[in-house]
Amino acid sequence: MPLPLILGIGAAIVGVKGVSSGISGAAKMKDANDTMNHLKRRDEKNRARLEEQQNATNHDMDKLGRFELEICGSFQEFSDIFEKIKNRPQFKEYSKNGVNIPQYDGEKIREVSVGASVLIGGLGGAALGTAGGFAATGAATAAVMALGTASTGTAIASLSGAAATNATLAALGGGALAAGGGGIALGTTVLGAATLGVGLLVGGMIFNAVGSDISEKADEARAQVDRAERQIDKICNYCQDLSSIAIKYYDSLSRVNRRYIEHLARLREIVINNGRVDYRNDFTNADRLVLENTEKLVRILLKMCKVKLVMPANNEEDVNTINYSEIEKQIDGAAILLGDIG
């Protein structure tokens, strides 16, 4: 066979091999790019789901936190009326059917009331999750802390608006226990241009090598998105559970607070409107029962507003713990007390 023909056949074989390799590489590149685009859409969907759930949970926790602060702030009126009553008895600790409520402490009630009013003043325009942070740590505890001293040495109570709220959050640890799930690393990886933007390189075997390389990158991206999705699922489940318990606790507080408002109105009628201020000489048996029950309701509300809904995680890789046992205990105790008051 003439040499030129042999060389021509050899060149043709090499050319066919290069074309075949190029086709294989192009197929790998297309599959990898399709995979990358799918992963990007999946990651964006997961992130949107996470943001939506966190916002919903922050809304539920904010509603509870603000309500608790409003309840604590309302104690000021009861305290003022209570102090007008002369010869009033010393109300003892309430203990019945496993429910224990500490003895009435007028000074503590005033502190909580003033501190709550300070914090409420700072909630206007506050970031989503701020009031929820107070519910997570115990609104009554935050209210008392609002009368403390900021890191600058300035008394928090002397601050106003957002400054007081932020100082209290800082004293509580920066509000890290807010409903968004603080205490857990999201661990999500952005699928950047370096991973998704590998260009087409023309040239047979070289093109095939690039196709193999981007296939490996696609596999790596899939593993990253899988890990991120597991973390996001974990956080979303936590947030859903926190929302559910926050709504349940809000409902329980609402029932007790409605009864408290009714009794406070009766007590106001007795002392302020009718001028009966001497417990021993002016109060009827019905009046005395109103005072006793109102005082009990204040104490149970205060105890409920002290509950920490969230316990911090031990490390950043774990979700926080919802304080189910204490929450359920207070809900049950509130129901028992309302039944006892009748």
Side-chain angles (χ1 to χ4, degrees):
M1 183 177 296
L3 183 58
L5 182 57
I6 293 174
L7 292 176
I9 293 173
I13 292 173
V14 172
V16 170
K17 184 177 180 181
V19 170
S20 175
S21 179
I23 293 173
S24 175
K28 289 182 179 179
M29 180 68 79
K30 181 181 184 304
D31 290 344
N33 280 333
D34 288 345
T35 298
M36 288 294 199
N37 288 329
H38 169 72
L39 290 174
K40 184 177 180 181
R41 290 192 299 270
R42 181 177 151 200
D43 188 60
E44 290 172 347
K45 184 177 179 180
N46 283 334
R47 291 169 186 271
R49 175 167 59 91
L50 174 63
E51 182 178 3
E52 181 180 2
Q53 182 59 62
Q54 285 184 316
N55 287 339
T57 301
N58 274 318
H59 176 271
D60 292 333
M61 286 292 287
D62 277 352
K63 182 179 178 181
L64 175 62
R66 180 180 286 275
F67 186 45
E68 288 186 344
L69 290 176
E70 289 172 350
I71 288 173
C72 290
S74 74
F75 294 158
Q76 183 64 53
E77 183 180 5
F78 171 77
S79 178
D80 291 344
I81 295 175
F82 191 75
E83 292 303 319
K84 292 180 182 294
I85 302 172
K86 302 175 183 178
N87 298 315
R88 62 181 183 271
Q90 183 70 38
F91 293 105
K92 300 179 180 180
E93 176 180 343
Y94 177 89
S95 182
K96 187 173 183 179
N97 296 328
V99 179
N100 297 295
I101 309 174
Q103 193 170 4
Y104 181 82
D105 185 336
E107 184 62 30
K108 181 66 68 176
I109 291 293
R110 284 189 292 274
E111 286 182 3
V112 168
S113 177
V114 173
S117 297
V118 169
L119 293 181
I120 290 172
L123 289 180
L128 185 66
T130 300
F134 294 136
T137 56
T141 300
V144 172
M145 194 167 288
L147 297 179
T149 302
S151 58
T152 59
T154 304
I156 296 177
S158 68
L159 302 174
S160 62
T165 298
N166 291 337
T168 304
L169 282 172
L172 289 168
L177 298 180
I184 181 168
L186 298 186
T188 53
T189 303
V190 176
L191 303 178
T195 303
L196 297 178
V198 178
L200 298 178
L201 298 179
V202 180
M205 299 300 290
I206 297 175
F207 185 54
N208 185 48
V210 173
S212 298
D213 183 60
I214 198 173
S215 294
E216 292 176 1
K217 289 181 180 293
D219 290 339
E220 180 183 346
R222 181 184 292 105
Q224 292 173 350
V225 172
D226 286 344
R227 286 195 299 271
E229 188 171 85
R230 287 193 294 271
Q231 284 291 75
I232 288 173
D233 286 343
K234 190 176 183 180
I235 298 168
C236 285
N237 289 336
Y238 163 78
C239 287
Q240 288 171 357
D241 291 343
L242 186 56
S243 277
S244 295
I245 202 67
I247 292 170
K248 183 176 181 180
Y249 204 56
Y250 181 93
D251 290 342
S252 178
L253 269 170
S254 294
R255 286 191 289 273
V256 180
N257 189 58
R258 281 195 296 270
R259 195 70 63 86
Y260 162 63
I261 290 173
E262 293 170 0
H263 278 73
L264 183 61
R266 294 174 189 170
L267 189 62
R268 185 190 307 118
E269 180 73 17
I270 294 166
V271 177
I272 304 301
N273 296 349
N274 294 334
R276 298 202 293 272
V277 296
D278 191 317
Y279 181 88
R280 186 180 303 155
N281 299 312
D282 296 338
F283 273 44
T284 65
N285 288 335
D287 294 342
R288 294 178 180 183
L289 184 60
V290 167
L291 176 61
E292 179 183 348
N293 286 340
T294 309
E295 187 266 351
K296 284 180 184 176
L297 289 164
V298 168
R299 283 192 283 162
I300 190 65
L301 284 170
L302 176 60
K303 189 173 181 180
M304 293 180 78
C305 290
K306 285 182 177 180
V307 172
K308 293 181 179 181
L309 263 71
V310 175
M311 306 303 291
N314 293 325
N315 60 72
E316 292 185 353
E317 297 301 320
D318 294 331
V319 294
N320 294 330
T321 303
I322 298 174
N323 196 6
Y324 282 113
S325 60
E326 188 61 28
I327 294 169
E328 294 293 349
K329 180 180 178 182
Q330 293 307 317
I331 291 175
D332 292 343
I336 290 172
L337 178 64
L338 290 181
D340 186 36
I341 289 175

